[in-house]
Amino acid sequence: EDQVTQSPEALRLQEGESSSLNCSYTVSGLRGLFWYRQDPGKGPEFLFTLYSAGEEKEKERLKATLTKKESFLHITAPKPEDSATYLCAVQATTNAGKSTFGDGTTLTVKP
Amino acid sequence: GAGVSQSPSNKVTEKGKDVELRCDPISGHTALYWYRQSLGQGLEFLIYFQGNSAPDKSGLPSDRFSAERTGGSVSTLTIQRTQQEDSAVYLCASSLAITAGGPPDTQYFGPGTRLTVL
């Protein structure tokens, strides 16, 4: 059974204080690993898809990396508007339509 | 263009009643997904459609849950004889397609329907 574990559950940072969110996963064969951002009362918003170990993707202050067992979402010099819940999900090659999500990390950035 | 829309945005019902939740995917998207999100938790996969067919119904929690999609577009998630544990936000997403052996397409989510069962 595919599993995704995210840590920490909650993270509080001062504006400008860089940090990383972790997503550990087990999957029979990785089709893709996804990062989403979710604001309160809204649906998740797509950030990145990673396909293979060693891959990295960047968008503004966010950088996602992938190994065979985990992914990191690095946040550089965060701003208060980066406050949100960040969700990680995986899809297995054996079931292309099903995504397994972690419980998320809630990030709060204080000015 | 228009994103994924869901209706109603909020639904309050009494235990034992049936409810229908609707999802309008992005035009041209052949794949459609339903998830459930309980308070403070991640998303729980329920079912997905490729066109009008649902290859994987394994995520539906019980036989009280059913979903259909007609015309390759709108989908309805029906919960019969609702229970208090059904209270959650039900999210719908769509993507261009699901290509076996190919890279996954980006899923675009709607705002969700918040269901409260009293």
Side-chain angles (χ1 to χ4, degrees), chain A residues 12-56:
Chain A
R12 296 171 64 92
L13 300 174
Q14 287 297 126
E15 184 172 3
E17 179 186 2
S18 301
S19 188
S20 297
L21 282 56
N22 177 263
C23 171
S24 297
Y25 67 93
T26 55
V27 65
S28 50
L30 184 66
R31 184 168 185 254
L33 182 141
F34 312 90
W35 282 99
Y36 295 87
R37 169 191 171 127
Q38 186 174 28
D39 292 299
K42 296 189 176 181
E45 174 188 348
F46 171 78
L47 292 174
F48 304 108
T49 305
L50 301 168
Y51 301 102
S52 58
E55 189 175 5
E56 298 182 353

Side-chain angles (χ1 to χ4, degrees), chain B residues 58-78:
Chain B
S58 64
L60 294 176
S62 74
D63 58 8
R64 296 186 296 105
F65 288 72
S66 62
E68 65 175 14
R69 189 180 186 196
T70 55
S73 181
V74 172
S75 176
T76 302
L77 178 68
T78 301

Side-chain angles (χ1 to χ4, degrees), chain A residues 3-4 23-27 30 33 66-70 90:
Chain A
Q3 287 190 322
V4 176
C23 171
S24 297
Y25 67 93
T26 55
V27 65
L30 184 66
L33 182 141
L66 181 66
T67 72
K68 289 186 177 180
K69 294 183 178 180
E70 57 190 351
V90 296

Side-chain angles (χ1 to χ4, degrees), chain B residues 44-66:
Chain B
E44 174 190 4
F45 169 81
L46 297 179
I47 189 171
Y48 79 90
F49 289 89
Q50 176 71 307
N52 290 336
S53 65
D56 185 356
K57 300 181 181 180
S58 64
L60 294 176
S62 74
D63 58 8
R64 296 186 296 105
F65 288 72
S66 62

Side-chain angles (χ1 to χ4, degrees), chain B residues 2-3 11-12 24 26 37 41 45 56 62 74 76 104:
Chain B
K11 177 71 177 179
V12 180
D24 274 280
I26 293 172
Q37 187 172 32
Q41 299 200 347
F45 169 81
D56 185 356
S62 74
V74 172
T76 302

